[in-house]
Amino acid sequence: MAEEADAAMTDPVTDDSATPATPRSGSATSGRAAVGAAMVEPVPAARTGSGGGLDARPEDSGAGPGDSRRILLLVARREVTARLRSRAFQVTTVLFVVAIAASVLILNAVGGSSSTRTVAVAAADGRQASAIVAAARSLDTEVRIRTVTDAAAGRAAVLDGDADAFVRLTAAGGGYQVSVKEDLADSLASVLTVAARQAALEGQITTLGGDPATVGRAIATAGVDVDTLRPAAHRDGARLALGLLSGGLIYIALLTFGPQVAQGVIEEKSSRVVELLLAVVRPWQLMAGKVAGIGVVALGQLLLIGVVGVGLGLGTGELDLPAGIAVGKVAVALLWFLLGFSMYALLFAAAGALVSRQEDAAGVTSPMIAAILIPYVLGISVLPASPDSGLINVLAMIPLFAPILMPMLIGIGSVALWQVLLSLALTLTLIAVLVWLAGRVYGNAVKRSGTRVSIRDALGGT
Amino acid sequence: MGDGRLVIDGVSKRYGEVVALDALSFEVRAGELFGFVGSNGAGKTTAMRIVLGVLAADAGEVRYDGVPLDLAMRRRIGYMPEERGLYPRMKVAEQLGYLAQLHGLGPVAARRAVANWIERLGVADRRDDEVQKLSLGNQQRVQLAAALVHDPAVLVLDEPFSGLDPVAVDVMSEVLRERRAAGVPVVFSSHQLELVERLCDRVGIVRAGRMVACGPVEQLRAGGRGLLVVDAPQAGADWAGGLDGVRVRGREGSATLLELAEGVDDQAVLRAAMATGPVREFRHRRPSLVELFRDVVSNSDATPGAAAPHTGAETGTSAGLVEPTSTASSESTVTPSGGRSWPRRRMPR
């Protein structure tokens, strides 16, 4: 009996298929009756391993690198599933995407109605068409000409909404007769006024015996030649917007997902599940898996927002950049987010390990929150007015600020390559230091429950 | 090698000035239910956490099967921490599957094991509920399932019976017996001493970080100072008060409970009783585990010295599967000097 018991001892875990075959099948058997059932099945399998359980382990159950990868993957996958299931995450993701899509589409709708106008012109007034287009070009307004057969067709086009206005020369020849449905848009009124004056001028030149075409050429070639003494770099609104937007999104993502790392650590401490986990998982595996899992979710969310935003922006023409550059900027922004998240997530994980209750989280995470907030606030308040601010350029060198400021500067285009590379190197160095530091603090503090662990204790050792 | 024993060997732990464990030693054999008792703060939880590697010992080591425990081996331990811990917002089946996989099971085997255990422990209909939505009793069942789901080679359970209703206590007892029958060394701590007495093959009583008594329940009881029960209905209230070396410990109905000092002749007591009139009952009663425990724990100057010398206990008892009464033949480590008065024995430090 004793010998059989010994044999049955041998690692039933080894053989996956044998595992559930052990005694559970007989659910309500008394202890005594279960003996028989328990003994019978595992014995043959168990015999293979000379009685001692240790040599019969599955190949990856040791503490080798393969095992580490498996554990990390398990931990990270749990984090991903937990985040994706969370109602808050689902709602914010949908809101983000809707907000980005809506703002691009609204911009497009508003801009679209003001920029392109359709003017109906009777075939008989063909010359006016080119005059109107020329006037529109000089005023930076887009006007399309729709040629109609006669006045009746022109009015019908306006009433049907096919044209914004129908234009005829007045009988006197000194201006336009314009028919609109309700009112004449300001931009179109300016265009038509310029064109009408041009028409009147040409009429007068003809009357005086001159050639309107010659006069027109002479006027067109006369201009102002500007000599720029200190040229400013080319700026445009789209780049500034893209820069600020990517910096802003990284800011929001860091502020959303960073504290979630701390929360996750505290949840494991406060629910005491960490006790169960640390019996089978090394502390660094638990920390790294959590950071990786939450990082993947955050990156996915940003990627989704980026793809929707840039895709719609390019599609509607609202984002006035070559597609390659826009995609490149998004990729750079995502890279900076990854770097920033690595730094902050490690800090948040270490901070979370110091306390045992969610209520105490604010006390340990506020320094990181401040470090995320400061560059964002400075960036959005300084950069729109002075995109090449020296202050921001210097602050962007600081690793903890770089993930928010660098994407802004890179988007705008007001930073030198060496600055980017230097900042990148500093950031990577800090990440390496933090991996060691946070791992140490986390490993020492996460097992201690109850009062807040001081950083000195956590760094000191066991 | 190969004996499947869990050996705690001279484990010490101090927190600053406080000594939590002082060279604590005991062993749990394959197929043995070991009850770990002691008052609050005696060091039970600390010892279990050290076994699981959640806490590092200052000295000593823990071996299974003759080999010091490492992480890979600890994955084969089923552990129920004193402060229950599960992810509150994770679903029951998912949570158990996750823990099973962390312990080394493949996904398919994990799913099957989970299905088996939640069925067995009566929480199958809650498999897709979040743990925090379960009643405390059901959370306990899930916690037990978490300790068992990877078919552990060793079970270490800290207060597994606390907070269980009587039905759950029965289920838990049955599961523990069954694991014992499968040859698993099972150690659990409890304050429910009647339960420990009924269930365990051997018991260890720990006080202030040291093992003060360790052995089969029957043997501990036999070794402990028993009481003499004398029922002499016509005797006066203090008929025994004047006898030399005899202390009156209480009354049960008309019977008097007497404690005899070493060397006192019980026949003299019987004669004294008969002198008062008829004697209906005269018997020695072994102390219950509760009485033993009180004796050990309340007696502050009983300097403990009788830790479990597992080296001496290795002389191959069949242990394991036999009922506690039969194991009584194996040695108790309480009374190395053979004296019956272990709770009062003084040992020079």
Side-chain angles (χ1 to χ4, degrees), chain A residues 1 6 9 11 13 20 22-24 27 29 52-54 57 67 70 78 85 268 271 275 277 280 447, chain B residues 2 49 54 64-65 67 75-76 79 85 87 94 101 103 116-117 120 150-151 174 178-179 183 321:
Chain A
M1 206 52 173
D6 191 30
M9 267 301 308
D11 186 13
V13 183
T22 10
R24 296 86 179 237
S27 53
T29 44
L54 284 175
R57 298 296 301 157
D67 176 64
R70 202 182 69 90
R78 196 205 80 84
R85 286 244 180 88
E268 281 169 0
S271 71
E275 175 102 3
L277 300 175
V280 291
K447 293 175 185 176
Chain B
R49 295 185 78 197
V54 181
Y64 171 70
D65 225 20
V67 182
R75 295 220 175 113
R76 301 173 57 205
Y79 178 40
Y87 285 105
E94 245 171 66
Q101 289 194 49
H103 279 88
N116 268 313
W117 278 111
R120 176 80 203 276
H150 53 288
D151 205 356
E174 185 195 314
E178 178 202 291
R179 295 288 87 202
L321 300 173

Side-chain angles (χ1 to χ4, degrees), chain A residues 20-45:
Chain A
T22 10
R24 296 86 179 237
S25 41
S27 53
T29 44
S30 78
R32 230 39 183 127
V35 175
M39 302 271 81
V40 179
E41 300 200 49
V43 170

Side-chain angles (χ1 to χ4, degrees), chain A residues 1-2 4-6 8-13 16-32 34-35 38-39 50-55 57-58 60-63 67 70-71 74-79 81 85 264 267-268 271-282 285-286 290 358 447-449 462, chain B residues 1-4 30-31 49 52-56 64-65 67 70-77 79-91 94-95 98-99 101-107 109 112-113 116-117 120 143 146 148-154 174 177-185 317-319 321-323:
Chain A
M1 206 52 173
E4 276 176 20
D6 191 30
M9 267 301 308
T10 359
D11 186 13
V13 183
D16 277 350
S17 61
T19 311
T22 10
R24 296 86 179 237
S25 41
S27 53
T29 44
S30 78
R32 230 39 183 127
V35 175
M39 302 271 81
S50 71
L54 284 175
D55 34 16
R57 298 296 301 157
D60 66 339
S61 292
D67 176 64
R70 202 182 69 90
I71 294 287
L74 277 172
V75 175
R77 205 176 58 198
R78 196 205 80 84
E79 294 295 334
T81 323
R85 286 244 180 88
E267 183 195 27
E268 281 169 0
S271 71
R272 312 286 181 167
V273 73
V274 73
E275 175 102 3
L276 214 53
L277 300 175
L278 287 182
V280 291
V281 174
R282 295 187 199 286
Q285 292 172 328
L286 199 55
K290 181 175 292 291
Q358 296 288 2
K447 293 175 185 176
R448 304 200 197 172
S449 54
T462 58
Chain B
M1 267 309 279
D3 55 4
R49 295 185 78 197
L52 266 298
V54 181
L55 215 59
Y64 171 70
D65 225 20
V67 182
D70 60 2
L71 189 71
M73 185 51 226
R74 286 193 171 107
R75 295 220 175 113
R76 301 173 57 205
I77 302 180
Y79 178 40
M80 195 160 167
E82 179 195 29
E83 305 213 49
R84 308 295 185 240
L86 294 168
Y87 285 105
R89 274 190 287 269
M90 211 170 165
K91 291 173 183 172
E94 245 171 66
Q95 174 135 240
Y98 174 61
L99 291 172
Q101 289 194 49
L102 282 186
H103 279 88
L105 257 60
R112 232 173 336 172
N116 268 313
W117 278 111
R120 176 80 203 276
Q143 192 82 49
L148 293 166
V149 72
H150 53 288
D151 205 356
V154 178
E174 185 195 314
R177 284 202 193 97
E178 178 202 291
R179 295 288 87 202
R180 162 174 68 187
V184 171
T317 45
S318 60
L321 300 173
V322 263
E323 289 297 323

